[in-house]
Amino acid sequence: MTVVADALPDDPGTLKAMVLAERARAERLEQIIKELQRHRFGRRAETLPEDQLLLGLEEADQVEAAGEAAAEHEAPVRRAKKAASRRANRGSLPSHLPRIEMLIDIESHACPCCSGALHRIGEDRAERLDIVPAQFRVLVIRRPKYACRSCEEVVVQAPAPARLIEGGIPTEATVAQVLVSKYADHLPLYRQAQIYARQGVNLDRSTLADWVGRAAFLLRPVNERLLASLKSSVKLFADETTAPVLDPGRGRTKTGQLFAYARDDRPWGGADPPGVAYVYAPDRKAERPIAHLAGFVGVLQVDGYGGYRVLSEKNAVTLAFCWAHVRRRFYELAAAGPAPIAAEALARIGQLYAIEESIRGRHADERRDIRQQKSRPILDDLEPWLRAKLELISQKTKLAEAIRYALARWQGLTRFLDDGRIEIDSNVVERSIRPIALNRKNALFAGSDAGGAHWATVASLIETCKLCGVDPYAYLADVITKIVNGHANSRIDDLLPWAYRTAPELKPWPEDIAYGPTNGDASQWTAAPHLRDMARGRRATQYARRSGDSDVRFARFIPSMGIPARRHRHDLFIAMSSIAMTHDRSISSSFECAGLI
């Protein structure tokens, strides 16, 4: 300690400066430690998703159900009353499901009083949801041979149907199931092999991997066409995430990258269907997105990655940045402890998001006008406020970094004010990254760069199916079958996921909350009865906003959506409140029309 003390200067001013510098450094290190702790042990999301909230309530629901069952067991009258209530409020089961009728009749049709013949006066019908677990079956293909008795050398036989794997055992539907399980349900191949083994079908993991590789190679032209179609748009979202890949020569994994390019024009009523295309790259160099987006002209909404800046300089691309990334930096500071400046910044950014929520689903011009009227004053005040706060704090703190991050991208962050097609953030593509992260967590890594490319190909088609409300299994089975049977490359657009949206047998994906019909056709709602009730409520709200329908007519429309009114009254209250505010009507009158009060 004497040596250190002797090395210190004697000037008090110099000592004060050193103490202040060390204090700033200590505060910065403390903030980094808190961020690492929150990243490792805490909740990363800035908001609590609905699914996460429901997950936490599952146990409580189970305990409540067990208590009700015990009470009903002790009180038969209560059990009968509860049963009648369930029948009244459960709604109807999906109409597309097959019905297997079971007739439960009396043993004797003789009258118990006079022994005369009973005649039928009616019946009670009850529907219950049953399930048949997935099971394998063997398709036996028989091709008779025919010969001519007069011509000994003549043998006629129908040609064998084309197969994805010549000489292999799987049908195209089987391969599609493996793909969906791996890339949509995030089941690694070894887990699928274990599941199939329980049914007595022993399929080695390497066999399943061979099927996946061949299918991915077959689907590559469709994925390339999907990316080309997205690049023809006037606005895209872009993001990237890591993809661990085996590096055999080094005995460990290397870090590849999956770039995601997404389109979703539904928030402003665009006509182009939503979609996302993933492209695998071995690194994150700026040349990768430049090559991927060659020929794209328009607005690219991204995070703060510097590689996209090079893209805007070399290509005819205008960058719009993401307010969610700005907000996240302030949120991390506010979550770690008292941070008045960060909390104030979050409150101001929250005002922007409240405005965006109110205009979601409206036309681009209308969104732009409202932003100019309401959002621009907020941002005009926010920029000088950030600059003033930046001058008051140490430039080495995390708060200063957060402020500089926002100010350095201010032009791109405010670009959404002048264009109603631009979103306030890039959450559209962020949501498309989540399935990749889940698959990465379960599968750990891809086997090679080629495996990463296969991952990108199949994931692109599956995630686009989800966005378009198409069943990924039915889509992949049909597309693989068509390609195997020689589908013309000139008609490849017929194989894109959104080309299957009009098929009545393909059900909307439950995770996707799309916007409602604009032509007032209630059948478009009732055709998807398996959607979550809350999703229906949100669709209902968007339907009213976009179609300009009155709350009275909409109230009559609610029963056709099949929402159990008593069980989900909260969702209906939210929907009707939004509709009332949208059409400048009183909330109470809207509730009366809907029969809620």
Side-chain angles (χ1 to χ4, degrees), residues 44-46 236-242 258-264 275-278 284 301-305 308 320-328 353 405 423-438 440 463 467:
R44 302 184 191 179
E46 300 162 39
L236 286 179
F237 299 87
D239 199 5
E240 71 288 330
T241 188
T242 57
L258 277 174
F259 287 83
Y261 304 102
R263 175 182 68 197
D264 192 348
V276 59
Y278 304 96
R284 201 188 182 200
Q301 191 143 17
V302 297
D303 54 17
Y305 172 46
Y308 298 117
F321 290 115
C322 173
W323 273 100
H325 285 77
V326 176
R327 181 181 61 184
R328 187 170 302 138
Y353 273 88
Y405 179 90
E423 291 297 297
I424 191 174
D425 53 38
S426 59
N427 284 348
V428 167
V429 72
E430 292 277 347
R431 288 191 293 268
S432 299
I433 290 293
R434 291 176 186 172
I436 300 295
L438 285 174
R440 178 179 60 208
E463 294 305 318
L467 290 173

Side-chain angles (χ1 to χ4, degrees), residues 288-404:
R288 303 300 179 182
I290 293 176
H292 300 162
L293 295 176
F296 171 68
V297 177
V299 177
L300 187 66
Q301 191 143 17
V302 297
D303 54 17
Y305 172 46
Y308 298 117
R309 291 182 178 270
V310 180
L311 180 67
S312 66
E313 296 171 359
K314 293 187 177 182
N315 293 21
V317 173
T318 302
L319 293 184
F321 290 115
C322 173
W323 273 100
H325 285 77
V326 176
R327 181 181 61 184
R328 187 170 302 138
R329 291 172 175 262
F330 290 108
Y331 173 81
E332 290 173 352
L333 294 170
I341 296 178
E344 175 67 17
L346 285 176
R348 295 186 181 218
I349 296 173
Q351 295 176 6
L352 297 175
Y353 273 88
I355 296 171
E356 291 301 306
E357 181 64 25
S358 67
I359 63 176
R360 189 170 301 278
R362 300 192 183 185
H363 191 270
D365 293 339
E366 186 179 1
R367 282 157 57 97
R368 181 198 59 218
D369 295 341
I370 295 177
R371 286 170 175 173
Q372 291 288 338
Q373 178 185 359
K374 297 182 178 180
S375 299
R376 182 170 289 280
I378 297 174
L379 291 174
D380 289 343
D381 293 338
L382 180 59
E383 182 184 13
W385 180 82
L386 288 175
R387 294 189 183 278
K389 296 302 179 182
L390 183 60
E391 296 177 356
L392 300 177
I393 62 177
S394 172
Q395 302 302 301
K396 296 182 179 181
T397 61
K398 299 291 288 185
L399 178 59
E401 286 185 9
I403 294 177
R404 285 196 296 267

Side-chain angles (χ1 to χ4, degrees), residues 92-102 125 127-129:
S92 59
L93 292 174
S95 59
H96 69 274
L97 296 179
R99 260 63 176 177
I100 300 176
E101 295 193 356
M102 298 175 59
R125 295 178 63 91
E127 292 188 344
R128 302 172 63 193
L129 185 63

Side-chain angles (χ1 to χ4, degrees), residues 8 39 49 53 61 113 156 160 188 212 218 288 311 316 344 417 453 499 548:
L8 293 175
H39 182 81
L53 179 61
D61 291 339
C113 295
V156 181
V212 171
L218 193 76
R288 303 300 179 182
L311 180 67
E344 175 67 17
L417 295 175

Side-chain angles (χ1 to χ4, degrees), residues 219-297:
L219 294 170
R220 187 177 56 181
V222 183
N223 183 47
E224 293 174 351
R225 178 55 187 157
L226 172 62
L227 178 60
S229 177
L230 294 180
K231 290 195 297 184
S232 66
S233 308
V234 296
K235 183 177 71 70
L236 286 179
F237 299 87
D239 199 5
E240 71 288 330
T241 188
T242 57
V245 177
L246 277 182
D247 193 0
R250 302 170 61 191
R252 57 181 183 178
T253 61
K254 62 180 181 180
T255 303
Q257 295 287 329
L258 277 174
F259 287 83
Y261 304 102
R263 175 182 68 197
D264 192 348
D265 297 340
R266 292 175 296 179
W268 55 273
D272 291 335
V276 59
Y278 304 96
V279 183
Y280 173 78
D283 52 54
R284 201 188 182 200
K285 295 179 181 178
E287 62 193 46
R288 303 300 179 182
I290 293 176
H292 300 162
L293 295 176
F296 171 68
V297 177

Side-chain angles (χ1 to χ4, degrees), residues 428-501:
V428 167
V429 72
E430 292 277 347
R431 288 191 293 268
S432 299
I433 290 293
R434 291 176 186 172
I436 300 295
L438 285 174
N439 207 61
R440 178 179 60 208
K441 181 179 180 180
N442 290 345
L444 299 182
F445 50 78
S448 63
D449 287 335
H454 296 163
W455 187 357
T457 296
V458 182
S460 298
L461 301 178
I462 287 179
E463 294 305 318
T464 301
C465 282
K466 293 181 182 181
L467 290 173
C468 293
V470 174
D471 179 9
Y473 166 75
Y475 166 77
L476 288 175
D478 187 69
V479 167
I480 293 174
T481 301
K482 287 182 177 178
I483 296 177
V484 167
N485 286 282
H487 186 87
N489 191 55
S490 60
R491 295 189 293 111
I492 196 171
D493 285 352
D494 296 341
L495 301 183
L496 293 176
W498 49 73
Y500 286 71
R501 289 192 304 173

